[in-house]
Amino acid sequence: MRMLHTMLRVGDLERSLAFYTNVLGMRLLRRKDYPSGRFTLAFVGYGDEAESTVLELTHNWDTAEYDLGSGYGHIALGVDDIQATCAGIAGQGGRVVREPGPMKHGSTVIAFVEDPDGYKIELIELASRSLSA
């Protein structure tokens, strides 16, 4: 078995696609409308679905926003230079909600950004991460 994708429900698909592709640098891998169900699925990621885990963005045409609830945590992305990555995200209008720095009770350097729907995305500087936790 392997992980295929994580699904997020989004209120405005075009806004979310712009964030994930333009701000975070993912590619739109495929997109399909389902008129009888009144929804669209768009898959984005850094690599081909055959080899990489991707994000499925689900847009229900009649729902403009969602309650994120208390169960969702975050999506994590590994980056080489967290300072430059955060500066680039902020420069494109992205929201950095936790500036880069060591994680609480550890030394791994992390930051958090937020997508247009409020989903948190953790950035982890790869050179600083500890795989023991």
Side-chain angles (χ1 to χ4, degrees), residues 46-118:
Y46 294 110
D48 186 275
E49 288 181 79
E51 300 171 359
S52 301
T53 303
V54 300
L55 284 178
E56 173 189 328
L57 303 177
T58 298
H59 176 241
N60 294 296
W61 300 353
D62 301 316
T63 306
E65 64 182 83
Y66 291 92
D67 175 15
L68 299 184
S70 61
Y72 176 80
H74 62 267
I75 296 165
L77 301 176
V79 301
D80 291 324
D81 182 339
I82 201 164
Q83 296 289 341
T85 300
C86 286
I89 288 170
Q92 293 191 53
R95 291 192 55 214
V96 178
V97 295
R98 194 245 197 223
E99 293 295 326
M103 63 180 276
K104 196 175 195 178
H105 311 293
S107 60
T108 302
V109 178
I110 64 171
F112 278 89
V113 299
E114 198 172 82
D115 88 348
D117 289 284

